[in-house]
Amino acid sequence: MKSLLDEICCCLYQKVWGAQRTECASSSSKRAALSPSQPAWGVAEQKGSMAAAATASPFLKHFALRYSPAGVSPANRRRHTLPASEFRNLSLTDALSVFEIEREVSGECPLHVDEVRHFLELCPELSLGWFEEGRLVAFVIGSGWDKDKLSQDAMTIHVPGGSTVHIHVLAVHHKCRQQGKGSIILWRYLQYLRCLPTVKRAVLMCEDFLIPFYQKAGFREIGPSDIAVGPLTFTEMEYPLGGGAYLRRNSGC
């Protein structure tokens, strides 16, 4: 009986001692992971701060990948943006836009589309277009002339190297009117003509209600025009082009 009790006590001693050793080993390993001065709650706090720092890093934030076309590096990709505002000579490809603008403005174009192409082919350097984001919003078309007054021939003939520029038409897109664009493009055109060495003056013919507009731009009346279109009569006006181009535009024009 005594031997049986001794055996039971021995088994219980081994189980209790083994559990204590296991617990001690586990506690020792946890303490070894901590610095001598760092409590256990500091580990959880440190892990939370590291996670927050990782999330705040710009290199770990979510972002959308932008793929370049196959075989084309981002540095070599072409930009297809158009200039916000551009003044340039017109070309044959602009003829239809010119005709459509003038027809919308007045209902009848002084130059038919074939005549527009005719002058843009003969003397594109005597034209000027104003483009906004690639769209034509205003234009002037002229041709060379070599007489003191305009005659019927001036409506269809271009005289290369002539000392006079006949301004056939100035028009602004109907959606861009009442914005001062007519005055601006006329001023730009006249200053452009000053840079042409053979040109000494610009002339045009207009209806009476347009005389104040051209007078404000610096034109003076010559007298009644010899050209009439049906019942319409015109006044011929002249702008001298002596001297160099102005440095800046008068904002009051």
Side-chain angles (χ1 to χ4, degrees):
M1 185 67 178
K2 183 179 180 181
S3 61
L4 179 60
L5 291 173
D6 291 340
E7 186 175 352
I8 292 172
C9 290
C10 183
C11 291
L12 291 174
Y13 177 79
Q14 289 178 353
K15 288 182 179 180
V16 174
W17 178 246
Q20 289 180 347
R21 291 181 64 185
T22 303
E23 184 178 355
C24 290
S26 177
S27 299
S28 299
S29 62
K30 289 180 179 179
R31 285 195 299 268
L34 299 176
S35 62
S37 60
Q38 187 176 29
W41 55 265
V43 176
E45 184 179 0
Q46 183 182 22
K47 288 182 179 179
S49 63
M50 290 177 64
T55 305
S57 172
F59 300 103
L60 296 178
K61 290 183 178 179
H62 295 289
F63 64 97
L65 293 175
R66 296 181 180 179
Y67 294 96
S68 301
V72 179
S73 65
N76 293 330
R77 280 183 295 180
R78 294 182 59 188
R79 297 183 65 185
H80 295 282
T81 55
L82 294 169
S85 186
E86 177 187 21
F87 292 86
R88 65 168 174 82
N89 296 130
L90 298 170
S91 66
L92 285 173
T93 57
D94 302 313
L96 187 58
S97 297
V98 166
F99 180 72
E100 291 297 330
I101 288 176
E102 180 60 19
R103 188 170 62 178
E104 288 174 354
V105 170
S106 64
E108 181 180 356
C109 185
L111 296 176
H112 296 293
V113 66
D114 291 338
E115 295 171 328
V116 171
R117 291 194 181 99
H118 171 71
F119 285 117
L120 293 185
E121 186 175 12
L122 287 178
C123 48
E125 72 281 358
L126 296 181
S127 67
L128 185 66
W130 185 352
F131 295 82
E132 290 185 345
E133 296 183 352
R135 182 171 63 96
L136 182 64
V137 297
F139 67 88
V140 181
I141 292 179
S143 65
W145 186 243
D146 59 353
K147 302 289 192 304
D148 291 337
K149 292 201 62 170
L150 296 174
S151 66
Q152 195 65 40
D153 290 340
M155 303 298 290
T156 55
I157 292 177
H158 164 61
V159 179
S163 60
T164 299
V165 169
H166 171 207
I167 299 176
H168 291 270
V169 58
L170 181 157
V172 178
H173 194 284
H174 70 282
K175 292 183 178 179
C176 302
R177 304 192 80 186
Q178 306 301 320
Q179 299 176 16
K181 283 183 166 58
S183 298
I184 293 172
I185 194 169
L186 179 58
W187 181 88
R188 293 288 294 260
Y189 184 72
L190 293 173
Q191 304 318 307
Y192 167 72
L193 293 182
R194 287 179 181 274
C195 300
L196 304 180
T198 62
V199 177
K200 304 302 180 185
R201 66 181 189 135
V203 297
L204 57 82
M205 59 182 196
C206 66
E207 295 180 72
D208 291 344
F209 73 93
L210 287 173
I211 290 176
F213 170 79
Y214 288 110
Q215 283 179 331
K216 192 174 181 179
F219 283 81
R220 67 176 184 86
E221 293 185 52
I222 296 177
S225 175
D226 296 336
I227 303 171
V229 179
L232 294 178
T233 58
F234 305 96
T235 298
E236 191 166 328
M237 305 191 74
E238 175 188 54
Y239 184 93
L241 290 168
Y246 293 133
L247 295 180
R248 63 181 180 88
R249 178 178 178 270
N250 183 353
S251 58
C253 294

